[in-house]
Amino acid sequence: ATAVGAGNANTTIIVDVPASGPNAALVCYDLTLNGYTDWFLPSKDELNLMYQNLKEQGLGGFANDYYWSSSELNSAAAYLQNFSNSISFPEYKSYLTRVRAVRAF
């Protein structure tokens, strides 16, 4: 799913499917930071909100680079968010780029 609020469920689904190795969702799911363990990989639309409300305001320490979302196009590709220009597009899952773990509150 791509909608706001879907990232946590997407992450759980991805983590529950046996994989051949580490993936972006698992990195977020396994994260323990500042005593919190409920991190997840944001959905496509959640990442876009992060770009609009944080990156464009100079907040969040985002690089001008691509970030993975938990939203899949199909079994081979998922969506990236470009934090240089706000464009979101699908890319093969083997592409190595940044991950930003988030929490719901």
Side-chain angles (χ1 to χ4, degrees):
T2 62
V4 172
N8 197 10
N10 288 350
T11 299
T12 300
I13 291 167
I14 294 166
V15 169
D16 285 347
V17 173
S20 59
N23 61 59
L26 187 60
V27 168
C28 296
Y29 184 84
D30 285 346
L31 179 63
T32 298
L33 183 64
N34 295 328
Y36 296 102
T37 60
D38 56 346
W39 299 93
F40 60 91
L41 185 63
S43 71
K44 177 181 174 283
D45 293 350
E46 289 166 342
L47 264 181
N48 190 54
L49 282 178
M50 292 166 66
Y51 177 84
Q52 293 172 351
N53 294 303
L54 297 172
K55 174 67 165 80
E56 286 188 330
Q57 307 303 317
L59 302 171
F62 291 94
N64 287 326
D65 205 347
Y66 305 108
Y67 288 84
W68 276 117
S69 80
S70 62
S71 301
E72 295 181 314
L73 175 66
N74 55 41
S75 63
Y79 286 93
L80 294 177
Q81 173 82 35
N82 186 338
F83 271 67
S84 300
N85 60 18
S86 82
I87 295 173
S88 181
F89 59 95
E91 180 60 73
Y92 288 108
K93 294 177 183 178
S94 59
Y95 182 76
L96 297 177
T97 195
R98 296 174 185 269
V99 174
R100 176 59 68 105
V102 297
R103 297 179 56 241
F105 57 92

Coordinates of all heavy atoms in Angstrom, one line a residue, residues 46-77:
E46 N 3.9 8.5 3.0 CA 4.5 9.0 4.2 C 5.8 9.6 3.9 O 6.1 10.7 4.5 CB 4.6 7.8 5.2 CG 3.3 7.3 5.8 CD 3.4 6.0 6.5 OE1 4.4 5.2 6.3 OE2 2.5 5.7 7.2
L47 N 6.6 9.0 3.1 CA 7.9 9.6 2.7 C 7.7 11.0 2.0 O 8.4 11.9 2.2 CB 8.7 8.7 1.7 CG 9.7 7.8 2.4 CD1 10.4 7.0 1.3 CD2 10.7 8.6 3.2
N48 N 6.7 11.1 1.2 CA 6.4 12.3 0.5 C 6.0 13.4 1.5 O 6.5 14.6 1.4 CB 5.3 12.2 -0.6 CG 5.2 13.4 -1.4 OD1 6.2 13.8 -2.0 ND2 4.0 13.9 -1.5
L49 N 5.3 13.1 2.5 CA 4.9 14.1 3.6 C 6.2 14.5 4.3 O 6.3 15.6 4.7 CB 3.9 13.5 4.5 CG 2.5 13.5 4.1 CD1 1.6 12.8 5.1 CD2 2.0 14.9 3.8
M50 N 7.1 13.6 4.5 CA 8.4 13.9 5.2 C 9.2 14.9 4.3 O 9.8 15.8 4.9 CB 9.2 12.6 5.5 CG 8.5 11.7 6.5 SD 9.2 10.1 6.6 CE 10.9 10.4 7.2
Y51 N 9.1 14.7 3.0 CA 9.8 15.6 2.1 C 9.2 17.0 2.2 O 9.9 18.0 2.4 CB 9.8 15.1 0.7 CG 10.4 16.1 -0.3 CD1 11.8 16.1 -0.5 CD2 9.7 17.0 -0.9 CE1 12.4 17.0 -1.3 CE2 10.2 18.0 -1.8 CZ 11.6 17.9 -1.9 OH 12.2 18.9 -2.8
Q52 N 7.9 17.0 2.1 CA 7.2 18.3 2.1 C 7.3 19.1 3.5 O 7.5 20.3 3.5 CB 5.7 18.1 1.8 CG 5.5 17.7 0.4 CD 4.0 17.3 0.1 OE1 3.2 17.2 1.1 NE2 3.7 17.0 -1.1
N53 N 7.1 18.3 4.6 CA 7.0 19.0 5.9 C 8.3 19.1 6.6 O 8.4 19.9 7.6 CB 6.0 18.2 6.7 CG 4.6 18.4 6.2 OD1 4.1 19.5 6.0 ND2 3.9 17.3 5.9
L54 N 9.3 18.3 6.3 CA 10.6 18.3 6.9 C 11.7 18.8 6.0 O 12.3 19.9 6.3 CB 10.9 17.0 7.5 CG 10.0 16.4 8.6 CD1 10.3 15.0 9.0 CD2 10.0 17.3 9.8
K55 N 12.0 18.1 5.0 CA 13.1 18.4 4.1 C 13.0 19.8 3.5 O 13.9 20.5 3.5 CB 13.2 17.3 3.0 CG 14.2 17.6 1.9 CD 15.6 17.6 2.4 CE 16.7 17.5 1.4 NZ 17.0 18.7 0.7
E56 N 11.8 20.1 3.0 CA 11.6 21.5 2.4 C 11.7 22.6 3.4 O 12.0 23.7 3.1 CB 10.3 21.6 1.7 CG 10.3 20.8 0.4 CD 9.1 21.1 -0.5 OE1 8.0 21.3 0.1 OE2 9.2 21.0 -1.7
Q57 N 11.6 22.3 4.7 CA 11.8 23.3 5.8 C 13.2 23.2 6.4 O 13.4 23.9 7.4 CB 10.7 23.0 6.9 CG 9.3 22.9 6.4 CD 8.9 24.2 5.7 OE1 9.1 25.3 6.1 NE2 8.2 24.0 4.5
G58 N 14.1 22.4 5.8 CA 15.4 22.3 6.3 C 15.5 21.5 7.6 O 16.5 21.6 8.4
L59 N 14.5 20.6 7.9 CA 14.5 19.8 9.1 C 14.7 18.4 8.8 O 14.5 17.9 7.7 CB 13.1 20.0 9.8 CG 12.7 21.4 10.1 CD1 11.2 21.4 10.6 CD2 13.6 22.0 11.2
G60 N 15.2 17.6 9.8 CA 15.3 16.2 9.7 C 16.7 15.7 9.2 O 16.9 14.5 9.2
G61 N 17.6 16.5 8.8 CA 18.9 16.1 8.4 C 18.9 15.2 7.1 O 19.7 14.3 7.0
F62 N 17.9 15.3 6.3 CA 17.9 14.5 5.1 C 18.9 14.9 4.0 O 19.2 16.0 3.8 CB 16.5 14.6 4.4 CG 15.4 14.1 5.2 CD1 14.6 14.9 6.0 CD2 15.1 12.7 5.1 CE1 13.6 14.3 6.8 CE2 14.0 12.2 5.8 CZ 13.3 13.0 6.7
A63 N 19.5 13.9 3.4 CA 20.5 14.1 2.3 C 19.7 14.3 1.0 O 18.5 13.9 0.9 CB 21.4 12.9 2.2
N64 N 20.3 15.0 0.1 CA 19.8 15.2 -1.2 C 20.0 13.9 -2.0 O 20.9 13.8 -2.9 CB 20.4 16.3 -2.0 CG 19.9 17.7 -1.4 OD1 18.8 17.8 -1.0 ND2 20.8 18.6 -1.4
D65 N 19.3 12.8 -1.6 CA 19.5 11.5 -2.2 C 18.1 10.8 -2.2 O 17.1 11.3 -1.8 CB 20.5 10.8 -1.3 CG 21.3 9.7 -2.0 OD1 20.9 9.3 -3.1 OD2 22.2 9.2 -1.4
Y66 N 18.2 9.5 -2.6 CA 17.0 8.7 -2.6 C 16.8 7.9 -1.3 O 17.8 7.5 -0.6 CB 17.1 7.6 -3.7 CG 17.4 8.3 -5.1 CD1 18.6 8.1 -5.7 CD2 16.4 9.0 -5.7 CE1 18.9 8.7 -6.9 CE2 16.7 9.6 -7.0 CZ 17.9 9.4 -7.6 OH 18.2 10.0 -8.8
Y67 N 15.5 7.7 -0.9 CA 15.2 6.9 0.3 C 14.1 5.9 -0.1 O 13.2 6.2 -0.9 CB 14.6 7.8 1.3 CG 15.6 8.7 2.0 CD1 15.9 10.0 1.4 CD2 16.2 8.4 3.2 CE1 16.9 10.8 2.0 CE2 17.1 9.2 3.8 CZ 17.5 10.4 3.2 OH 18.4 11.2 3.8
W68 N 14.3 4.7 0.4 CA 13.4 3.6 0.1 C 12.1 3.8 0.9 O 12.1 4.3 2.0 CB 13.9 2.3 0.6 CG 14.8 1.6 -0.4 CD1 16.2 1.3 -0.2 CD2 14.5 1.1 -1.7 NE1 16.7 0.7 -1.3 CE2 15.7 0.6 -2.2 CE3 13.3 1.1 -2.4 CZ2 15.7 0.0 -3.5 CZ3 13.3 0.6 -3.7 CH2 14.5 0.0 -4.2
S69 N 11.0 3.4 0.3 CA 9.7 3.3 0.9 C 9.3 1.8 1.1 O 10.0 1.0 0.5 CB 8.6 4.0 0.1 OG 8.1 3.2 -0.9
S70 N 8.3 1.6 1.9 CA 7.8 0.2 2.1 C 6.8 -0.2 1.0 O 6.2 -1.3 1.1 CB 7.3 0.0 3.5 OG 6.1 0.9 3.7
S71 N 6.5 0.7 0.1 CA 5.4 0.5 -0.9 C 6.0 -0.2 -2.1 O 7.0 0.3 -2.8 CB 4.8 1.8 -1.3 OG 4.2 2.5 -0.2
E72 N 5.5 -1.4 -2.5 CA 6.0 -2.1 -3.6 C 5.2 -1.8 -4.9 O 4.0 -1.6 -4.8 CB 5.9 -3.6 -3.3 CG 6.8 -4.1 -2.2 CD 6.7 -5.5 -1.9 OE1 5.6 -6.1 -1.9 OE2 7.8 -6.2 -1.8
L73 N 5.9 -1.9 -6.0 CA 5.2 -1.8 -7.3 C 4.8 -3.3 -7.7 O 3.7 -3.6 -8.1 CB 6.1 -1.2 -8.4 CG 5.5 -1.3 -9.8 CD1 4.3 -0.4 -9.9 CD2 6.6 -0.8 -10.8
N74 N 5.8 -4.2 -7.5 CA 5.6 -5.6 -7.7 C 6.6 -6.4 -7.0 O 7.3 -5.8 -6.1 CB 5.6 -5.9 -9.2 CG 6.9 -5.4 -9.9 OD1 8.0 -5.5 -9.3 ND2 6.8 -4.8 -11.1
S75 N 6.8 -7.7 -7.2 CA 7.8 -8.5 -6.5 C 9.2 -8.0 -6.7 O 10.1 -8.3 -5.9 CB 7.6 -9.9 -6.8 OG 7.9 -10.2 -8.1
A76 N 9.5 -7.3 -7.8 CA 10.9 -7.0 -8.1 C 11.2 -5.5 -7.8 O 12.4 -5.2 -7.7 CB 11.1 -7.2 -9.6
A77 N 10.2 -4.6 -7.6 CA 10.4 -3.2 -7.5 C 9.6 -2.6 -6.4 O 8.5 -3.0 -6.1 CB 10.1 -2.5 -8.8

